[in-house]
Amino acid sequence: MKLTDEQRAVLDGSKGETLAKVMESLVRYGELFGAEEMVPISSRYNHLVTSFGLKALGPVYELMDKLLEAGAPSGQKFSVDPKPLDKNVPSSPLQDLVFKVFMYSRQKDYEAQLKELGLLSDNAFTCTCYMDEVGNKPGFGEVLSWSESSAVVYANSVLGARCNRNSGIIDLMGSVIGCVPKFGLLTDEGRKADWIIEVKTESKPEAQLLGSAIGMKVMEDVPYIRGLDQWLGNELDDEACTYLKDFGAATASNGAVGLFHVEGLTPEAVKYGEDLINPDAKVYVIDDAELERVYREYPVIWKNKDAKPKLCFMGCPHMSLQQLKDWTDLVEEGLKKNGTDRVSVPTVFTAAPDVLEAFAGTPYAERLAKTGVITSYICPLMYMNNPLSEKMPVITSSNKLRTYTSARYYTDEEILEQITAPGKGGIKISIPSILSKKGGR
């Protein structure tokens, strides 16, 4: 790799052994992917994926100590993924014991390390750091050193920033050194589309379901999506951004998508149009029948497939302020329709701490609380990734949570039906009616 004189000096130890090792790690990482040079990070803030104080992550804490001892904190302030624990989220005494003693026993110590390294604020724990309320929203063309897959795909696609799908700790190393290897999605060629996706559904497709279908088809390739603008319009307003947040998370977790283009909507698609499409791009047509096929093939790994749900998680990735408001209306309407006052399944809506604070300042917060829904800053995935939670029949409309845990996926409409209809928990619901409805929310 061709390094600048300054970069070469760091590699040779001009700033000490610790930073030399950090630079060497980045150089080796870049060379594995054919990078010929480094490119400076230009974003104001970084985002780290590792937020959980797992007892097993001893080497991470040792690395953090070495960086601090060497006087080499992050070159940028940073946000970090959500915390794994929240006392307000329903759990059994045995789960609490597992969480606090065996799994996340280093949480307090690790958060202290993060603060010393450059944590943006005490509230900066979220996978949706780009929310206006949080403030870590990079601009078009800015180079990042992020790892969180749902944040990377959003930053690349919706904001037009540039970031590879890095691994954990590489995100911190790039920020410490101030540059990252130039390859993949940091290059013009790497941002061109290998697939043309033709969306030909009769109604607005469920974001999580459409993203899942595309992710499983294209894997790590870049898709150029046609036909979605008819449902989202040509402006990246709050509704469109929220849709693309959930859509992108599904493409990134059910596949490995780090960037997508939506014709007439996302910034690079607007700026460059079909010049973004490679000449040999493959075509994938998605209609209602294809979405139905994808949904039917999701595995259900519950021991008792007809079990009544014991918990519902919404917000993986974290919900937006508008989503919290919209779902307050939906839950109230569902309860009223079914002649009841409170949800029939313990339900947790997760969002960034700053978003929850903004929500608390609206009339919606009190209304939602009356329905029995809990709001939390927790990471649902970290809650679910243990043998005890794995055995619980948990439902979700997040394809990311479905993919990485035992949680069972339902569409938004089906989730609403399950949590607001008394005695409906665990019912077998046919393929979502939302696929055949025209219009709707």
Side-chain angles (χ1 to χ4, degrees):
M1 188 183 295
K2 299 174 184 176
L3 301 179
T4 64
D5 292 342
E6 182 180 358
Q7 292 165 353
R8 175 64 61 182
V10 173
L11 182 63
D12 291 341
S14 67
K15 293 187 177 180
E17 181 183 2
T18 298
L19 285 184
K21 288 181 177 179
V22 173
M23 178 63 84
E24 182 183 357
S25 298
L26 288 173
V27 169
R28 289 188 179 189
Y29 175 59
E31 287 178 343
L32 283 171
F33 291 95
E36 297 181 354
E37 62 179 344
M38 295 284 193
V39 58
I41 294 171
S42 55
S43 59
R44 183 179 181 187
Y45 301 124
N46 194 22
H47 181 78
L48 308 187
V49 71
T50 311
S51 60
F52 34 92
L54 278 169
K55 190 174 182 179
L57 294 183
V60 171
Y61 315 131
E62 292 176 16
L63 172 63
M64 297 294 191
D65 282 337
K66 288 183 182 295
L67 289 172
L68 291 170
E69 290 168 5
S74 170
Q76 307 161 287
K77 292 285 186 178
F78 56 82
S79 51
V80 66
D81 265 15
K83 295 182 181 183
L85 302 173
D86 181 0
K87 60 182 176 58
N88 295 318
V89 175
S91 60
S92 68
L94 187 55
Q95 281 178 305
D96 290 337
L97 180 66
V98 169
F99 288 148
K100 295 176 182 178
V101 177
F102 297 102
M103 290 187 67
Y104 303 116
S105 59
R106 297 292 303 272
Q107 190 66 31
K108 185 177 180 180
D109 295 339
Y110 182 50
E111 288 183 21
Q113 286 182 316
L114 291 173
K115 288 181 182 180
E116 195 172 351
L117 278 165
L119 186 65
L120 187 58
S121 74
D122 290 342
N123 275 359
F125 288 87
T126 177
C127 51
T128 56
C129 59
Y130 44 80
M131 293 288 179
D132 289 338
E133 295 83 1
V134 181
N136 186 358
K137 188 174 185 177
F140 184 88
E142 288 188 340
V143 175
L144 318 178
S145 180
W146 294 6
S147 292
E148 162 55 43
S149 63
S150 68
V152 166
V153 71
Y154 187 94
N156 276 320
S157 310
V158 182
L159 303 179
R162 296 200 167 198
C163 186
N164 281 314
R165 281 175 55 110
N166 298 306
S167 60
I169 305 302
I170 288 292
D171 47 16
L172 176 60
M173 289 183 172
S175 186
V176 167
I177 292 297
C179 57
V180 286
K182 185 179 181 180
F183 68 91
L185 298 176
L186 298 187
T187 67
D188 292 341
E189 192 61 31
R191 298 179 73 83
K192 289 189 176 180
D194 306 293
W195 285 84
I196 298 172
I197 310 297
E198 300 281 2
V199 179
K200 296 185 177 181
T201 56
E202 291 297 316
S203 61
K204 182 180 178 180
E206 189 96 350
Q208 295 271 1
L209 193 53
L210 179 64
S212 172
I214 293 174
M216 289 191 289
K217 187 71 171 182
V218 311
M219 296 308 291
E220 77 278 7
D221 290 342
V222 177
Y224 185 94
I225 304 160
R226 289 174 173 157
L228 193 53
D229 54 331
Q230 67 176 307
W231 309 113
L232 301 182
N234 296 110
E235 181 182 349
L236 285 172
D237 55 17
D238 186 79
E239 182 180 356
C241 288
T242 296
Y243 185 98
L244 295 178
K245 166 182 72 74
D246 293 336
F247 164 83
T251 68
S253 57
N254 289 201
V257 174
L259 165 67
F260 60 82
H261 304 292
V262 179
E263 188 171 60
L265 183 60
T266 53
E268 285 174 278
V270 170
K271 186 173 182 178
Y272 302 113
E274 294 188 356
D275 289 344
L276 290 170
I277 304 173
N278 281 320
D280 58 348
K282 298 177 281 290
V283 177
Y284 176 36
V285 177
I286 298 181
D287 55 16
D288 293 326
E290 175 64 359
L291 289 182
E292 180 176 331
R293 179 196 67 79
V294 169
Y295 187 45
R296 283 188 184 277
E297 292 182 358
Y298 286 160
V300 178
I301 60 177
W302 291 359
K303 188 175 182 179
N304 176 8
K305 291 180 171 55
D306 297 322
K308 179 179 175 63
K310 290 187 177 181
L311 189 63
C312 172
F313 269 123
M314 299 287 288
C316 181
H318 275 169
M319 298 172 80
S320 68
L321 179 59
Q322 191 59 50
Q323 277 182 303
L324 289 171
K325 293 178 179 179
D326 290 344
W327 269 92
T328 298
D329 289 336
L330 289 170
V331 172
E332 286 181 331
E333 291 168 8
L335 293 174
K336 183 178 180 181
K337 171 187 172 184
N338 289 292
T340 187
D341 297 318
R342 294 176 68 83
V343 291
S344 56
V345 178
T347 301
V348 182
F349 287 177
T350 67
D354 287 314
V355 171
L356 291 176
E357 285 189 5
F359 182 66
T362 71
Y364 289 88
E366 184 177 355
R367 289 166 49 194
L368 185 64
K370 288 180 179 179
T371 70
V373 171
I374 298 164
T375 56
S376 174
Y377 51 74
I378 202 173
C379 174
L381 199 155
M382 290 297 103
Y383 177 99
M384 290 294 298
N385 269 332
N386 64 84
L388 290 177
S389 299
E390 190 177 74
K391 294 177 181 178
M392 293 173 60
V394 176
I395 60 175
T396 184
S397 66
S398 164
N399 246 310
K400 179 173 184 176
L401 192 62
R402 174 198 69 83
T403 302
Y404 293 141
T405 73
S406 61
R408 185 172 181 174
Y409 174 84
Y410 289 103
T411 66
D412 286 347
E413 185 176 352
E414 292 172 341
I415 289 288
L416 185 63
E417 172 73 9
Q418 294 223 45
I419 67 175
T420 62
K424 289 289 186 73
I427 62 171
K428 289 184 178 179
I429 301 178
S430 61
I431 294 305
S433 57
I434 197 170
L435 298 181
S436 59
K437 280 186 177 180
K438 292 191 177 183
R441 277 185 148 112

